Amino acid sequence: MGDANKRRDVYKSNYITKLGEREVSRNLKALVWLSSLLVVTGAIALIVVAIVLDDNHPLSTLSPVGRQGRDIAALINPIFIVAGVIFFLVQGAVLALWWRYRVSGSESGDGEFGYYEDGEFPEQIHGNNRVEIGWTLVPTVLLAVISVFTLITLFALDDVEASDEDMVVTVVGQQWWWEYQYHLDGNTSTPPDIVTANELVIPVGVDVPLDIKSRDVIHSFWIPKLNGKRDAVPGRAHDWVIQSEETGRFRGQCTEFCGLAHGYMKMVAVVLTKQEFAQWRDNQITSADMPQEGTAAHEGWQVFSQQCASCHVVNGITSATNRGGSGTEADTWDIYRELSGNDAGAYLSQDTLVAGAAPNLTHLMTRSTFAGSWYDLYLNADSHLNYLDLPENGILNRVELEKWIHNAPERKPAAADELRGMPARSSLSPQDIDNLVAFMSTLD
Amino acid sequence: MSTTQGTISASLATRLLGVFSRPQGSEGWKSWLFTVDHKRIGIMYGAAALFFFLVGGAEALFIRLQLATPNGSVIGAGTYNGVFTIHGVTMVFLVVMPMAAAFANYLLPLQIGARDVAFPRLNAFSFWCFLAGGVLLTSSIFIGGWFQNVPDAGWFNYAPNSGVLFSPHKGVDFYAVGLQITGIASLVSAVNLIVTVLNMRAKGMSLFRMPVLTWMLLITQFLLLFALPVITVALFLLMFDRLWESNFFNVAAGADPLLWQHLFWIFGHPEVYILILPAFGIVSEIIPTFSRKPIFGYHFMVASGIAIGFMGWGVWAHHMFTSGMGPLSVAAFAVSTMFIAVPTGVKILNWLATMYRGRLRFTTPMLYAVGVVSMFTIGGLSGVTHAIAPSDTQQTDTYYIVAHFHYVIFGGALLGLFGGFHFWWPKAFGYKLNELWGKASFWVMLIGFNFTFGPMHILGLQGMSRRIATYQASEGFAFWNMVATIGSFVIAVGVAMFLWNVFSSTRNWRRVGRPSVGPDPWDARGLEWMTASPAPEHNFDSDIQVDRFDEFWHRKYGRDEKGKIVRAARAEEIAHDGSNTNVHLPSPSYWPLVLGVGIMLVGYGLIFNLWIAALGVVALVGAIYGWCLEPADDPDTAHGHDHAGRNSLEDEEAITVG
Amino acid sequence: MAAEAINHSAQEQDHHSSTGISNEKLAMWVFLGSECLLFGGLISTYMFNKDRIGLNDIGPSDVFDIPFTSVSSFVLLMSSLTMVFAVSAITRGDLRANRIWLATTAALGATFVAGQVYEFTAFYSEGLGFTTNLFGSSFYALTGFHGAHVTIGIIMLMSLYIMSLRGNLPAERAETVEIIGLYWHFVDIVWIVIFTIVYLFPQ
């Protein structure tokens, strides 16, 4: 019995006060204030660094160049400032209260008053209705003001009719790349005039209406520098609009989780001057030419027609015989259904201008990226090279392209065995691949 | 004596009517399996939640490792999708919710002066059912190979990506079945706790004398009560689609995938408040104690909680601003979301006002509570920016959102719950956690937390999307991702320090002969401190008459002629010492555990083989049968919390005669 | 003195309730609140989906037999009345009448479920399966969930009947019957909503 008491005493004297109450309390206080100081200064230093380093963020929402993006920034930036002020007020209040009203006391908490050393109590204030009503009303009014500005911007951005552009681009998301179908006359019920992939080319300064759809799961179309995002939902068509005040290449990223390679599903918006855009458009409308017999490109075409043409379309030379089936866009959903029956042909559309489940390659060489814009097609695409000059003066990223043809699932995650993503073509010889690249190089 | 014998043989006969004899005793591991004591159940909830917290934390570290550098290849894209999905599911459903349930179970009856919850056996069932769901969900990580059958469609599990077509392995089945099971647990618990609070309050404990924590927990239970059936419907539809080829999310058959989103977020947004309100309640208990002042604006605190509870139902579609709803819906939900910030702001300001002119002692619980005030403010402010619908089209599904909800759920809910651990630890176990280690682990965790999630605001605004398995060097995300990864390991160190604190404090306490810390180690205010620590099985020796808010504090302190506050009595003098052995207690039971196991078998059966489910149904039916046949209180052993059977019967005998 | 207080409190604990309603009854009310949202979700799903079918697809007007369902709905409605009689019988201590009315209620409920089984079979033979289209999936899910609720109600009524036969349902336990009655009335009311929305509105 006495033994237990003794041990208890040891507990109290050794364990709790081993480090010396006073010393602990002083050390702790120093630790507390030092670390909070460290956090604050560290955070501020890092944020400064961040702003300094902010010159190279191709997806940044902080430096928009599109009209809509700028409208959004104009709305949110002042709100960020208001929020910042409130942030400093509250954190300042926490620190000030801490500093002003802290009391020292027992470190062991064993005293009659727990951690307090004395029986001194502050005034027991239970509340104050006026103060409460005040700080309910002030934020309410503040938020009401913000709501008004929000609604104004919201409805202004929604007013897509304002566009003077006839052209409508149907944007189709699928695992894991984007297809763009250009309806130059704005009539989306007729077959599109141009079908391309990954890179959305638009003229500068024009509101381009988009018609966003999906073939499989939900995706989200987002070019942060131009406009916010809009989901591509299967079974639904969503109106959206995109515009840029400047020419250039602006990156995008699918932002609704869409399965395995979601992170690898990227896209680019290319903004050209109006003349350049006309030039690009006139080129895209044309079909590809069959390479001359006897050339490596023609050898490549033969490989292509056997290995690739059941999914990839090249306008003008892949023929309907490569592609059976009877689908329209509406029943591309059936594609996946019928996959189990291995009836891959069924999911390809008969319409020569509509790619099925793989990108239309008619003008592959005019694009700066491939594989869902994950890889650069040209090594110097980011230099000041004119976009339209890429096929001529670009340095082809040949190594990556060949690896991609050889074994795509290794270069970008895909569920190729479920026909979601491009399957490997490991059986191709290096010669075959060389020829294939030679053929593709003609697709400009 | 002969009467006693008679009673025993009579009850033996009753027992034979049941299928088995009842479990007895309150010592040893078996007594934990069959316990119906709300405090033990609360402790088991807490322990299970801490275990799942370590699992979810390990998953988080893998996420951070994968994202530390561009083109990360620590885990592949497929595994990554599984890891972030199960991380989210684990942290929401298996960590924060059960941790809150731990406090609800342990504290609700104590705070309202009750002996137990309204339905003790149902309470035990809630726990076992939750654990069954948690084990089932977690087992998806390794069943059929590591990460081969783990849910991989995100915690939000949007159709049609969650369909069998796009997620052919069993991961989403685990998700649907596992969440259904934890949902049953939460629903049963919600009914039980609502009845407890409404019906079992001590005399004089009117609704507006209840502690703020009790209020927040009550509101949470109402939110669960009404939100869970909605996710239940969604999960059933998903399960029917996946297992029996119905068409609810089959776009080819004309379905609209937005149905899932609406159902999920009608549940999902109240769920956010289900996660945070218990922490708000905990903070509202800790700050007054260590400010030596009553909570400022009690009625406004309660009212703002109720307001959040109501408004939480009208804002769900702000998760869907980019999903293609009409602009009018977007406008309506933008405005409603905007104003839900008001009651939350009221809470923050009331906490600050409680501290104002107080005498602040920064003990570990107080540090955590003030940490919540500070960190939740950041999450709240970023939350308001989501209500700005046009700018949400830029922010949604980026790391800005990830930053936001971690500031809310980690910086708000988890810090609050950890503060609660330190605050009520002496009540539950009879000794305190070491303050030095406690404070150190708090600071390490807080610093790590801010280094992990603070940079994510910047990353999000710089355009980094959520749920991407990797990014390219040219996108400029590398620096802040590295900072975040380092921060996440700092958090891990903080958590390890907390665990060490638990271990070493326990060891030190055992070494010195397990002295009790006394009923009221913090000089606190609530009724839970008015009984011995650890709280005895019967909670209070006798009924408590409550005459005002903060009854216990008012019994300790009075005012002298000058109006100065003076000690009226020591806590030890007022508090019940737990010596009463003559309290009618519900008896332990096998059936809650059997029922939980049965449900788990049904779960696995639905996923793998219906024969397993049939086995589960047999267990279920047997358990329900046994449950219904046994009386809630075993007349043989129900008297006397020491479960010494005969002795306590003798005691009662004596008293009755006396 | 202390002992008296303790003993008193131990008894109080069993009977005292802050609202004056027993725990069991309050729990049923609370649970039914949750059930409202469950059926709310299912009914919304049905409303959302019922017209999302192809032009030539089998739809509500192709299968519904309103007179038949009206009769079975009436049967279920009557069972609410007999349930009231059962509660009133046990409240006034007439255990035999209680048993009769409990059995009648269960029988009426079973008739309703049998009608539903017949209806499902008929629809199925007309080509409307669970997987046929969105209308089929939503219809069977909604009415199936309701049918399951009625079935559980029947099981509970039969259990009460057996308890009563064994003498385990004395007049003091009238509230148990009342609580099961609450559930039963709720399930009936839900059916009135379903019948109106699913069967009558499209006509």
Side-chain angles (χ1 to χ4, degrees):
Chain A
M1 199 52 205
D3 215 33
N5 278 342
K6 203 170 154 194
R7 269 186 308 188
R8 208 164 299 177
D9 288 344
V10 173
Y11 174 69
K12 290 204 169 161
S13 61
N14 264 1
Y15 167 59
I16 297 172
T17 56
K18 189 162 55 183
L19 295 139
E21 275 186 31
R22 295 286 154 221
E23 200 185 326
V24 169
S25 113
R26 233 178 296 127
N27 282 348
L28 256 180
K29 244 168 247 162
L31 184 76
V32 164
W33 289 105
L34 197 72
S35 36
S36 46
L37 210 68
L38 259 173
V39 173
V40 175
T41 46
I44 292 171
L46 286 173
I47 289 164
V48 170
V49 173
I51 293 165
V52 172
L53 293 178
D54 190 49
D55 61 339
N56 193 20
H57 293 97
L59 290 159
S60 178
T61 62
L62 298 171
S63 47
V65 298
R67 182 173 70 79
Q68 293 80 10
R70 285 181 178 171
D71 285 353
I72 292 170
L75 172 69
I76 192 69
N77 286 344
I79 296 171
F80 276 144
I81 292 170
V82 174
V85 170
I86 297 172
F87 167 81
F88 279 108
L89 285 178
V90 175
Q91 307 299 349
V94 169
L95 289 177
L97 290 170
W98 185 322
W99 184 255
R100 173 70 182 77
Y101 296 111
R102 75 193 195 287
V103 294
S104 56
S106 151
E107 275 305 324
S108 68
D110 274 2
E112 187 190 348
F113 299 97
Y115 276 81
Y116 292 89
E117 276 188 337
D118 54 33
E120 284 299 309
F121 277 83
E123 197 190 338
Q124 301 290 296
I125 313 162
H126 283 274
N128 181 326
N129 286 352
R130 274 193 199 169
V131 170
E132 298 279 358
I133 290 165
W135 65 40
T136 308
L137 283 183
V138 169
T140 308
V141 171
L142 182 70
L143 288 166
V145 173
I146 292 175
S147 299
V148 171
F149 285 107
T150 300
L151 294 185
I152 291 172
T153 310
L154 178 66
F155 288 112
L157 285 175
D158 193 64
D159 190 11
V160 183
E161 300 296 311
S163 172
D164 54 356
E165 178 64 44
D166 282 341
M167 180 175 79
V168 173
V169 183
T170 302
V171 175
V172 188
Q174 56 232 286
Q175 290 178 325
W176 289 277
W177 59 283
W178 293 92
E179 180 172 279
Y180 307 107
Q181 304 169 352
Y182 285 71
H183 300 274
L184 298 178
D185 58 357
N187 183 354
T188 51
S189 56
T190 54
D193 303 290
I194 299 167
V195 177
T196 180
N198 300 328
E199 302 198 345
L200 176 64
V201 181
I202 57 168
V204 71
V206 177
D207 273 4
V208 179
L210 304 181
D211 176 31
I212 300 180
K213 296 177 175 176
S214 165
R215 284 210 173 93
D216 38 41
V217 300
I218 302 178
H219 305 272
S220 196
F221 185 81
W222 188 37
I223 311 286
K225 292 216 180 218
L226 303 187
N227 196 354
K229 56 187 73 77
R230 176 57 53 115
D231 288 0
V233 181
R236 296 173 70 105
H238 291 153
D239 292 333
W240 200 231
V241 70
I242 201 167
Q243 192 264 13
S244 176
E245 305 280 4
E246 295 169 17
T247 58
R249 290 166 76 239
F250 303 104
R251 301 236 216 141
Q253 159 80 47
C254 171
T255 47
E256 189 62 84
F257 181 64
C258 58
L260 186 59
H262 163 61
Y264 301 78
M265 182 170 167
K266 295 179 178 290
M267 59 282 209
V268 179
V270 180
V271 184
L272 302 175
T273 64
K274 286 185 179 166
Q275 291 91 334
E276 284 174 331
F277 178 76
Q279 208 181 327
W280 176 85
R281 182 191 62 205
D282 294 344
N283 178 43
Q284 296 286 317
I285 290 173
T286 60
S287 297
D289 295 324
M290 179 68 82
Q292 284 192 330
E293 285 199 38
T295 59
H298 191 266
E299 298 283 313
W301 154 248
Q302 308 232 297
V303 179
F304 187 91
S305 71
Q306 284 159 21
Q307 299 281 337
C308 318
S310 63
C311 298
H312 287 286
V313 174
V314 178
N315 295 352
I317 52 178
T318 50
S319 65
T321 52
N322 286 112
R323 309 179 288 109
S326 63
T328 60
E329 199 195 313
D331 53 23
T332 41
W333 180 265
D334 294 338
I335 295 168
Y336 300 100
R337 289 251 131 144
E338 297 182 24
L339 286 184
S340 43
N342 250 338
D343 187 8
Y347 67 80
L348 291 173
S349 163
Q350 280 187 320
D351 186 349
T352 48
L353 280 169
V354 179
N360 183 311
L361 296 181
T362 312
H363 295 280
L364 172 66
M365 288 297 141
T366 65
R367 303 172 199 160
S368 61
T369 56
F370 71 102
S373 286
W374 182 253
Y375 290 113
D376 285 331
L377 189 58
Y378 295 101
L379 295 169
N380 54 347
D382 279 325
S383 64
H384 292 289
L385 198 62
N386 189 324
Y387 186 70
L388 295 180
D389 294 339
L390 277 176
E392 209 152 315
N393 299 328
I395 306 164
L396 189 67
N397 189 359
R398 200 181 172 97
V399 177
E400 200 52 63
L401 185 62
E402 288 183 357
K403 283 184 189 164
W404 175 254
I405 295 168
H406 183 69
N407 192 348
E410 192 185 273
R411 308 303 301 160
K412 171 174 164 174
D417 48 343
E418 295 157 24
L419 286 177
R420 300 188 284 137
M422 184 163 128
R425 285 283 178 266
S426 336
S427 59
L428 291 179
S429 67
Q431 182 62 48
D432 287 341
I433 290 181
D434 275 352
N435 290 340
L436 262 179
V437 173
F439 166 66
M440 288 178 182
S441 301
T442 68
L443 301 174
D444 54 9
Chain B
M1 222 27 221
S2 63
T3 334
T4 310
Q5 300 263 324
T7 319
I8 288 170
S9 52
S11 65
L12 212 65
T14 327
R15 268 205 242 151
L16 290 174
L17 277 179
V19 186
F20 300 105
S21 64
R22 295 189 71 143
Q24 293 176 17
S26 56
E27 299 290 322
W29 60 272
K30 275 188 196 160
S31 67
W32 286 84
L33 291 183
F34 309 126
T35 185
V36 295
D37 177 2
H38 71 96
K39 294 175 290 300
R40 287 184 163 208
I41 291 166
I43 289 168
M44 289 197 289
Y45 260 117
L50 270 180
F51 168 75
F52 288 122
F53 179 61
L54 297 183
V55 175
E59 288 152 4
L61 293 182
F62 275 105
I63 294 176
R64 285 318 318 164
L65 281 176
Q66 165 71 8
L67 292 178
T69 55
N71 291 309
S73 56
V74 178
I75 49 178
T79 310
Y80 179 84
N81 294 343
V83 171
F84 80 67
T85 301
I86 197 74
H87 165 74
V89 171
T90 303
M91 288 303 193
V92 169
F93 294 99
L94 308 184
V95 178
V96 178
M97 283 173 74
M99 249 186 222
F103 287 99
N105 270 290
Y106 199 98
L107 291 172
L108 266 188
L110 284 168
Q111 284 204 322
I112 59 172
R115 292 239 189 279
D116 206 317
V117 295
F119 305 102
R121 284 184 298 172
L122 272 185
N123 203 26
F125 165 67
S126 291
F127 171 73
W128 294 116
C129 187
F130 149 73
L131 196 65
V135 166
L136 184 126
L137 271 171
T138 306
S139 69
S140 69
I141 293 174
F142 52 81
I143 283 185
W146 287 95
F147 292 101
Q148 295 304 302
N149 285 306
V150 74
D152 64 348
W155 91 283
F156 64 111
N157 210 49
Y158 275 6
N161 191 41
S162 56
V164 88
L165 215 51
F166 299 104
S167 192
H169 58 73
K170 304 218 174 272
V172 178
D173 299 333
F174 272 105
Y175 171 97
V177 174
L179 290 193
Q180 203 77 287
I181 294 175
T182 58
I184 295 171
S186 301
L187 180 67
V188 171
S189 177
V191 172
N192 202 345
L193 293 174
I194 288 171
V195 174
T196 305
V197 174
L198 292 184
N199 242 5
M200 300 183 67
R201 281 165 283 136
K203 291 245 171 57
M205 173 72 87
S206 61
L207 287 177
F208 283 97
R209 285 178 189 164
M210 299 196 308
V212 179
L213 174 61
T214 304
W215 261 110
M216 294 307 126
L217 289 172
L218 178 65
I219 296 165
T220 305
Q221 304 312 317
F222 270 108
L223 287 175
L224 281 167
L225 184 77
F226 294 126
L228 283 167
V230 183
I231 187 83
T232 302
V233 169
L235 291 172
F236 267 122
L237 303 185
L238 175 69
M239 212 167 74
F240 291 160
D241 265 17
R242 286 187 64 92
L243 299 179
W244 298 304
E245 295 176 349
S246 57
N247 298 305
F248 295 105
F249 306 113
N250 180 355
V251 179
D256 187 341
L258 258 53
L259 175 65
W260 170 271
Q261 299 189 17
H262 281 294
L263 290 175
F264 184 83
W265 290 118
I266 289 173
F267 152 80
H269 204 80
E271 170 72 13
V272 173
Y273 301 107
I274 290 166
L275 299 178
I276 192 66
L277 284 177
F280 282 179
I282 289 170
V283 170
S284 306
E285 299 292 305
I286 294 175
I287 288 184
T289 299
F290 295 108
S291 303
R292 281 200 151 177
K293 282 177 65 192
I295 186 85
F296 189 89
Y298 169 78
H299 287 92
F300 285 86
M301 274 317 239
V302 173
S304 60
I306 296 173
I308 290 172
F310 274 104
M311 293 170 79
W313 292 93
V315 298
W316 80 86
H318 69 223
H319 296 268
M320 301 165 60
F321 280 156
T322 65
S323 70
M325 301 183 304
L328 280 178
S329 312
V330 172
F333 281 101
V335 173
S336 66
T337 304
M338 208 88 73
F339 289 106
I340 204 165
V342 174
T344 330
V346 167
K347 283 195 177 301
I348 300 268
L349 292 167
N350 274 308
W351 289 324
L352 293 178
T354 307
M355 289 165 69
Y356 175 67
R357 295 171 77 178
R359 285 167 62 82
L360 311 184
R361 283 291 287 125
F362 283 92
T363 58
T364 310
M366 183 65 165
L367 286 177
Y368 274 107
V370 174
V372 171
V373 177
S374 176
M375 293 301 110
F376 185 83
T377 301
I378 300 174
L381 287 171
S382 59
V384 173
T385 62
H386 306 328
I388 322 291
S391 102
D392 185 63
T393 63
Q394 288 282 30
Q395 297 152 5
T396 192
D397 277 321
T398 69
Y399 264 81
Y400 187 80
I401 303 288
V402 179
H404 159 72
F405 68 70
H406 279 98
Y407 267 84
V408 174
I409 295 177
F410 194 135
L414 262 182
L415 287 187
L417 292 163
F418 268 79
F421 276 140
H422 288 86
F423 190 55
W424 281 290
W425 195 276
K427 179 48 64 188
F429 299 107
Y431 61 95
K432 281 185 201 159
L433 294 176
N434 182 299
E435 276 289 295
L436 190 65
W437 275 104
K439 286 177 185 176
S441 63
F442 165 77
W443 285 110
V444 172
M445 229 186 275
L446 187 79
I447 291 166
F449 165 73
N450 278 291
F451 273 99
T452 309
F453 300 109
M456 290 183 186
H457 291 110
I458 302 169
L459 281 172
L461 294 176
Q462 286 174 346
M464 181 165 167
S465 284
R466 281 174 86 171
R467 306 185 178 110
I468 55 173
T470 189
Y471 49 91
Q472 292 176 325
S474 59
E475 288 165 340
F477 301 145
F479 175 72
W480 288 115
N481 270 297
M482 184 52 89
V483 173
T485 300
I486 294 168
S488 67
F489 280 86
V490 176
I491 297 178
V493 171
V495 173
M497 288 165 72
F498 166 76
L499 293 176
W500 168 255
N501 190 9
V502 170
F503 173 75
S504 68
S505 300
T506 311
R507 196 186 52 185
N508 285 331
W509 170 72
R510 284 189 174 158
R511 275 187 190 161
V512 297
R514 309 180 180 221
S516 170
V517 74
D520 180 29
W522 308 110
D523 196 16
R525 314 178 76 91
L527 281 189
E528 71 268 31
W529 305 103
M530 214 172 110
T531 188
S533 305
E537 197 173 345
H538 58 284
N539 290 357
F540 300 104
D541 289 340
S542 58
D543 281 357
I544 298 167
Q545 172 71 38
V546 175
D547 295 324
R548 62 229 125 162
F549 176 64
D550 278 347
E551 171 73 23
F552 176 55
W553 189 88
H554 283 101
R555 290 194 189 190
K556 285 190 292 184
Y557 295 102
R559 289 178 190 273
D560 62 12
E561 322 71 84
K562 290 178 201 153
K564 186 178 179 298
I565 293 165
V566 289
R567 175 75 94 176
R570 292 174 53 82
E572 285 77 5
E573 294 161 9
I574 312 163
H576 301 184
D577 59 7
S579 61
N580 184 0
T581 54
N582 183 35
V583 178
H584 197 86
L585 284 175
S587 303
S589 173
Y590 296 115
W591 305 119
L593 178 59
V594 177
L595 206 52
V597 171
I599 284 192
M600 186 157 78
L601 287 177
V602 171
Y604 279 114
L606 283 173
I607 299 171
F608 290 105
N609 186 330
L610 287 178
W611 286 110
I612 308 177
L615 197 67
V617 170
V618 171
L620 278 183
V621 172
I624 293 172
Y625 179 74
W627 183 309
C628 292
L629 281 190
E630 76 180 8
D633 314 304
D634 187 339
D636 187 7
T637 55
H639 304 272
H641 68 286
D642 55 354
H643 287 274
R646 269 158 230 197
N647 284 339
S648 58
L649 268 173
E650 277 170 11
D651 286 349
E652 198 194 46
E653 214 49 43
I655 289 163
T656 319
V657 173
Chain C
M1 176 61 203
E4 260 176 42
I6 288 161
N7 209 25
H8 176 71
S9 74
Q11 282 170 6
E12 273 302 309
Q13 198 63 37
D14 289 337
H15 307 294
H16 165 75
S17 97
S18 313
T19 56
I21 307 169
S22 75
N23 286 347
E24 288 75 15
K25 201 199 262 186
L26 188 60
M28 181 54 86
W29 278 112
V30 171
F31 173 69
L32 292 182
S34 184
E35 289 276 276
C36 286
L37 270 285
L38 181 86
F39 281 104
L42 286 164
I43 291 171
S44 310
T45 302
Y46 175 82
M47 299 286 281
F48 188 84
N49 280 340
K50 70 179 165 71
D51 296 326
R52 306 182 78 90
I53 52 172
L55 275 180
N56 301 318
D57 247 7
I58 187 160
S61 52
D62 299 320
V63 288
F64 284 164
D65 179 357
I66 302 297
F68 176 85
T69 316
S70 302
V71 170
S72 71
S73 303
F74 181 74
V75 168
L76 190 65
L77 219 58
M78 282 305 104
S79 76
S80 257
L81 188 66
T82 56
M83 189 72 229
V84 171
F85 291 154
V87 175
S88 117
I90 193 168
T91 316
R92 62 170 191 272
D94 189 345
L95 298 184
R96 195 171 158 274
N98 174 45
R99 276 198 292 281
I100 291 171
W101 289 121
L102 281 175
T104 316
T105 311
L108 289 173
T111 313
F112 172 82
V113 173
Q116 196 169 40
V117 170
Y118 166 77
E119 190 182 46
F120 281 12
T121 331
F123 290 1
Y124 187 76
S125 64
E126 283 174 59
L128 185 74
F130 186 49
T131 60
T132 307
N133 57 23
L134 267 172
F135 163 66
S137 298
S138 311
F139 171 81
Y140 285 118
L142 172 57
T143 52
F145 262 97
H146 181 265
H149 275 77
V150 177
T151 310
I152 291 170
I154 295 169
I155 293 171
M156 294 195 292
L157 289 170
M158 290 314 291
S159 308
L160 287 182
Y161 180 80
I162 293 166
M163 279 168 71
S164 183
L165 274 184
R166 287 183 168 196
N168 289 334
L169 197 64
E172 297 82 65
R173 296 189 66 181
E175 200 190 61
T176 310
V177 180
E178 197 189 334
I179 291 168
I180 305 296
L182 280 178
Y183 174 87
W184 192 259
H185 295 315
F186 170 81
V187 172
D188 276 10
I189 293 167
V190 168
W191 181 254
I192 294 173
V193 176
I194 292 176
F195 181 64
T196 313
I197 287 177
V198 175
Y199 290 83
L200 297 183
F201 271 4
Q203 305 305 315

